[in-house]
Amino acid sequence: LLSLGALIFIGVKYLLPLLLPFVFAWTVVAVTKGGAESLADKMKIPRKIVRLVTSLTLVIILSLGLGVIIWRSTSALMRFLTDIGESNGIFSLLEELFSAEKPALGGIIPEEIAGLIGNSLDGLISSALTAVGSAATHLVGALPTAFLFLLVTVISIVYFAIDYESICKFIIALLPEKLSRRLADLRRGAVSVIGKYLRSYALIMLITYLTIFIGLTLLRVDHSPIIALLIAFLDILPVLGVGTVLVPWSLVSFALGDKFLGIGLLILFVVNAVLR
């Protein structure tokens, strides 16, 4: 058991990063195999060619999509954090909420505690901006490694797409017959279950995002796309949900006298719950 644990540790820590492009390439070819072969049979084109074109197209789409998502998310998050610190942003709302001079909360929060909370908010915003800038710098520094990963993946896809059957037969021949049968059953069951799980949660997340985005846009909330995305992400996590954000936000809005936003957020919470 100790030897097996050591081998798994070494494999995950040292071998997996090296083998990851090949594993990713094989996964892409395996995922597109069924659809590519059906298309090849209908179009009377060799299966190897269609598998290759389909796999490369999927990798290009995923790479471009991931790049656009990272770029847009980083820039949107930077703008969002910058606006929080501006005088007309969300930061001013938080300052009013925790200010001892605010009529609604003046008798609840002492001036010293309000000052400490205000300073903490300043430090939090500054730290968040620094973290995002550092993450952007690391992303730029990781571009050569990402390019090498993509290059090795593309080359691997060419070989896997052309000789997929031969490679699979060779790997299966190395395994005991009983183990290969169990792995085949496990693969079929896992693909089915994980596929249904991901599709259902992606649908729930999409519905939540569209609902929150439309609602916040109607309520004239700034940065509604990124706020809706964060809330939709929280919605799929255990315990947390839409109410974790919308209900406290609504209470804060009522406390600050913005009844329109407070009522709107409560209605949005109910509408999202009904749609789910």
Side-chain angles (χ1 to χ4, degrees), residues 153-248:
T153 300
V154 170
I155 295 173
S156 303
I157 283 176
V158 174
Y159 287 103
F160 282 132
I162 293 176
D163 292 323
Y164 182 81
E165 290 84 1
S166 302
I167 294 173
C168 289
K169 288 179 182 178
F170 172 76
I171 295 175
I172 292 174
L174 298 176
L175 302 174
E177 183 179 352
K178 187 176 181 180
L179 178 59
S180 63
R181 287 201 305 269
R182 288 185 176 180
L183 288 176
D185 294 338
L186 178 63
R187 181 182 64 84
R188 285 192 293 269
V191 168
S192 175
V193 172
I194 294 175
K196 293 176 182 177
Y197 188 84
L198 292 178
R199 283 197 300 270
S200 54
Y201 264 89
L203 180 60
I204 290 174
M205 190 173 180
L206 177 62
I207 292 173
T208 302
Y209 174 77
L210 292 176
T211 305
I212 302 300
F213 171 68
I214 294 172
L216 294 180
T217 303
L218 293 176
L219 293 173
R220 299 189 295 275
V221 175
D222 294 332
H223 307 288
S224 56
I226 189 170
I227 295 176
L229 183 62
L230 293 174
I231 294 176
F233 178 74
L234 285 176
D235 191 34
I236 65 173
L237 296 178
V239 181
L240 301 177
V242 172
T244 308
V245 177
L246 294 185
V247 174

Side-chain angles (χ1 to χ4, degrees), residues 112-157:
E112 295 80 5
I113 297 179
L116 290 175
I117 294 176
N119 293 332
S120 299
L121 290 173
D122 281 330
L124 182 62
I125 300 300
S126 177
S127 301
L129 285 171
T130 304
V132 173
S134 177
T137 304
H138 282 89
L139 284 175
V140 173
L143 286 178
T145 304
F147 178 76
L148 180 61
F149 179 91
L150 182 61
L151 180 62
V152 176
T153 300
V154 170
I155 295 173
S156 303
I157 283 176

